[in-house]
Amino acid sequence: MAARSRLALLASLGPPRRGLRSLSLFSGTSPSSWSKVVSDAEKIVGYPTSFMSLRCLLSDELSNVAMHVRKLVGTKHPLLNTARGFVYDSKHNLQMRGLVVLLMSKAAGRSGSPSDALLPDMISGIYPSQRSLAEITELIHTAFLVHRGIVNLKEWTFSDGPLKDMQFGNKMAVLSGDFLLANACTGLAQLNNTKVVELISSAIGDLVQGVYYENSNSTEQGKLSVASWKDQVFLSHGALLAKSCQAAMELARHNTEAQTLAYEYGKHLAFAHKLNSDLQPFMKSGSGPAVFSLDSAPVVFHRLIVGHEIWTHQMHQAQNSTTQTDFSKLWTGIRSGGGVKQAVDLCTQHGNTALEAIRRFPPSEARSALENIARAVTRF
Amino acid sequence: MAVQWRRCWRGHGAVRGAIEAVCGVNRRAVTVLERGAGAGGLVTEVLLPVRHTHTSINPSMFTRSRSRFLPPVARSCCCCCRIHSDTKLKDPFSLAQEDLKNLYEDIKKLLVSKVELKALCDYYFDGKGKAFRPMIVVLMARACNIHSNRGGDLLPAQRSIAMISEMIHTASLVHDDVIDGADTRRGKTTINEMWGERKAILAGDFILSAASMALARIGNTTVVSVLSQVIEDLVRGEFMQLGSKENENERFKHYLEKTFKKTASLIANSCKAVSILVNSDPEVHEIAYQYGRNVGIAFQLVDDVLDFTSCANQLGKPSAADLRLGLATGPVLFACQQFPELHAMIMRRFCSDGDVDRAWRYVLESDGVEQTSFLAQHYCHEATRQISRLQPSPERDALIRLTELVLNRDK
């Protein structure tokens, strides 16, 4: 099948529906300034497209899946939306992690260590291995989105549509996620650096632990604390970016200090970004959004501030009228409390820590772009 | 009669061609297969012009008893081992036992995580598995060490490979069970049945990441590449299982390639990895790889046969499980040469009412089971031929003995 028709096949899945779980994790900040920050940054690293993910997308295996996924159109399997995201997600979001890794590589430049001379030539200031790493980071992130969208068939109800569709969707999700992960594995092996293989493999483990953590947090409400919230956010959001940034330094033979700084930047940027997107529903004036996550930072902090009793009371009130939770009532309660402010402060704090880390690198275009990104995620 | 014979023969030719194409088997091995194929199709024996060369195998020998089923070459090879000393041919399981002690405990130590995830990860590492892959890996490691004049001691990195092979295998089982919607595995309720599909898949990913970390810690980039290939093969094999080929020749080629990727690649590349760790000679790596590849394919072919011949609970899964999943394995593909009615059923993946029962009966009426067994035997013979190129050692001989066990296992 020609590449063009494969893309057409993927495109036939239709545009993503608004309001559904979005693939993008960097979609929170105000669109105009954010787009500018990103498109400026993309120019700095040469070409923004991830060839490895494109290769995967156009492979026989995934186009096979795309063919099958079309059968899922009209069903409620989450894979459908994830797949739509491959093609339709506003282009600046899907490959943000890769972009940060590339900028970090360029900002750090050559290490000047003796083994530096053995490395192949840079392409617009970035080693080929660092470009591969950026792509691997994207593959892992995408694979994980696909796998965490797998549906538990025992929780299936009639409103989800035919059970057969869900089974089929699961099968496709398992296979395509595995395919992306396998490509990430072989890509990692080709980097010829076992330290990087270990670091990135551990990030895959972190992502899994993050999901398990999430589940236990929302069920065992007693154990909730800022510390456990931080642990969970690190595993689910910070670890992959932090470790990829560190690995990019290792690939250019940079010393431990540079590796630590890169790690810190990646970690704190991810935290600031997570807080930023969690805060979005609470930044609008007027009435609240139809729905927001009860695990998002402002809600978690609000619960900790008001205490278990008041929170249970507020939840009870919100659930009083109908069987469904009245989110606008809850929203008003949370907005008037201190949780939102705490989350904003924490976001700024993480953004500043990320800025401090990146400013230890020599000034350059790439460094400025990373500074702009860190500033953009703390802007509301 | 004659028409049917021609159909059979064309089929066998196709199979032979496929094996040559996929596996690059040498001529000698193919001749053995050809003889076997001839003996397998009972009619062929009469019609083949060269039947006088077939005196070593005749149709009356062709019973279900697999011990009488060994080709003369393989048998004579085992005989020479016995000449040295019968006691030397130790049981592979007891020979590997010492190295495999605490294997599952050590694997569990690699799976560092919180309560619930830990429970899922440890679930299949309960020490009740056969540890078939780690056993081959440690025997191969010791055989290679002796061959390389390094003494028989197992290197820590080689033992890590044994653990990693079992971890990759387990992670792929966990994912396979979700794909197949299986509810039991090794006599236990599956992880997906206990904890749901989502957590099962993520636990599989977690086991894989732990295996990948352990692999990286060995610190050898070649070894990392060799085992990463396995992960890619496993996924590609699973994708191959989704589709069926219209063309008979292609279908058999597809089946053998899928079998290699889904089962044999792990064994072949793990064997190769332990040889790389002790010896720099590419020829030794190739011997280790070829042994693992051939034993691996034979292992899966026997598995596919047992799906038709073993009773429901012996294999830990219901018989004809593959048919129920829509999969046409060796016995069905061979049977299709005798009963073309199977073709349509294969193409629709046995999904119409009564397909599974009908296909099952056709297979048992045909010599599909015998043909598949014979093919397995051919691969075991090739494995033996390969491993015999290493210096003699108790471990090498145990690997030879293992090929017989693979053929004769009933569960």
Side-chain angles (χ1 to χ4, degrees), chain A residues 61-62 64-65 68 144 147-154 170-172 174-176 178-179 181-183 185-186 189-190 192-194 197-198 201-202 204-205 208-209 211-213 215, chain B residues 112-114 116-117 120 175 178-179 192-203 205-206 208-209 212-213 215-217 219-221 224-225 228-229 231-232 235-236 238-239 242:
Chain A
E61 279 82 3
L62 278 201
N64 217 332
V65 168
H68 288 301
F144 202 71
H147 271 178
R148 61 177 293 165
I150 281 166
V151 178
N152 286 330
L153 297 174
K154 278 198 179 145
N170 268 2
K171 194 169 166 174
M172 290 302 118
V174 174
L175 284 173
S176 44
D178 280 351
F179 182 77
L181 273 184
N183 276 278
C185 277
T186 40
Q190 281 162 13
N192 279 321
N193 184 320
T194 54
V197 175
E198 187 178 351
S201 302
S202 76
I204 300 175
V208 175
Q209 293 193 67
V211 175
Y212 274 83
Y213 219 118
N215 291 336
Chain B
V112 187
S113 59
K114 298 246 166 164
E116 194 191 15
L117 178 56
L120 269 85
H175 282 200
V178 174
I179 292 171
N192 44 297
E193 189 66 18
M194 297 263 287
W195 285 280
E197 284 74 8
R198 187 159 174 263
K199 282 188 174 166
I201 289 304
L202 294 171
D205 291 348
F206 189 77
L208 197 65
S209 81
S212 182
M213 283 167 75
L215 180 62
R217 280 197 287 266
N220 183 318
T221 52
V224 171
S225 295
S228 303
Q229 183 60 45
I231 295 165
E232 193 180 314
V235 182
R236 287 191 191 270
E238 198 64 51
F239 269 101
L242 286 179

Side-chain angles (χ1 to χ4, degrees), chain B residues 101-113:
Chain B
K101 218 166 68 186
N102 298 327
L103 183 93
Y104 287 106
E105 289 310 309
D106 292 343
I107 289 177
K108 284 195 245 179
K109 281 181 202 152
L110 293 177
L111 300 164
V112 187
S113 59

Side-chain angles (χ1 to χ4, degrees), chain B residues 12-294:
Chain B
H12 297 318
V15 171
R16 195 183 59 220
I19 293 166
E20 276 178 279
V22 176
C23 318
V25 188
N26 65 8
R27 283 307 308 176
R28 210 176 107 221
V30 173
T31 321
V32 174
L33 176 73
E34 224 169 291
R35 272 195 260 156
L42 300 186
V43 202
T44 354
E45 194 61 22
V46 191
L47 292 169
L48 270 176
V50 285
R51 72 172 187 275
H52 53 274
T53 62
H54 288 217
T55 41
S56 52
I57 296 180
N58 62 59
S60 63
M61 275 179 73
F62 216 79
T63 63
R64 286 279 162 101
S65 151
R66 271 185 218 103
S67 53
R68 296 175 57 192
F69 200 66
L70 285 168
V73 196
R75 204 177 256 183
S76 65
C77 182
C78 302
C79 290
C80 32
C81 306
R82 280 194 194 110
I83 291 165
H84 295 303
S85 149
D86 217 352
T87 48
K88 255 191 178 176
L89 255 186
K90 271 179 95 175
D91 167 39
F93 286 91
S94 50
L95 196 58
Q97 203 178 29
E98 190 60 28
D99 289 329
L100 299 181
K101 218 166 68 186
N102 298 327
L103 183 93
Y104 287 106
E105 289 310 309
D106 292 343
I107 289 177
K108 284 195 245 179
K109 281 181 202 152
L110 293 177
L111 300 164
V112 187
S113 59
K114 298 246 166 164
V115 204
E116 194 191 15
L117 178 56
K118 181 78 183 144
L120 269 85
C121 289
D122 289 357
Y123 191 68
Y124 287 134
F125 299 114
D126 55 1
K128 288 180 185 137
K130 283 176 293 197
F132 178 72
R133 288 156 188 83
M135 175 184 65
I136 294 184
V137 171
V138 298
L139 290 175
M140 180 60 80
R142 283 180 176 271
C144 287
N145 294 355
I146 290 173
H147 179 84
S148 322
N149 301 318
R150 284 283 298 270
D153 270 353
L154 198 65
L155 305 172
Q158 291 175 324
R159 190 163 186 278
S160 291
I161 299 288
M163 288 159 62
I164 291 161
S165 69
E166 187 69 1
M167 290 167 84
I168 295 177
H169 172 60
T170 306
S172 83
L173 288 185
V174 174
H175 282 200
D176 281 0
D177 283 345
V178 174
I179 292 171
D180 298 343
D183 50 14
T184 53
R185 158 83 59 189
R186 294 177 183 164
K188 279 174 107 166
T189 309
T190 54
I191 287 186
N192 44 297
E193 189 66 18
M194 297 263 287
W195 285 280
E197 284 74 8
R198 187 159 174 263
K199 282 188 174 166
I201 289 304
L202 294 171
D205 291 348
F206 189 77
I207 295 170
L208 197 65
S209 81
S212 182
M213 283 167 75
L215 180 62
R217 280 197 287 266
I218 292 175
N220 183 318
T221 52
T222 316
V223 168
V224 171
S225 295
V226 166
L227 281 171
S228 303
Q229 183 60 45
V230 174
I231 295 165
E232 193 180 314
D233 284 344
L234 283 170
V235 182
R236 287 191 191 270
E238 198 64 51
F239 269 101
M240 289 181 80
Q241 209 159 280
L242 286 179
S244 354
K245 296 273 180 221
E246 180 76 38
N247 177 294
E248 220 169 78
N249 287 6
E250 271 187 42
R251 199 186 284 157
F252 213 92
K253 186 168 169 253
H254 189 83
Y255 166 66
L256 286 176
E257 207 180 318
K258 183 220 80 184
T259 303
F260 168 74
K261 287 190 190 306
K262 278 207 70 179
T263 312
S265 172
L266 174 59
I267 303 174
N269 284 301
S270 306
C271 284
K272 186 177 175 181
V274 291
S275 75
I276 290 171
L277 286 166
V278 70
N279 196 309
S280 58
D281 182 2
E283 210 167 323
V284 174
H285 307 163
E286 187 61 13
I287 292 172
Y289 178 86
Q290 289 300 339
Y291 175 84
R293 191 185 65 98
N294 282 284

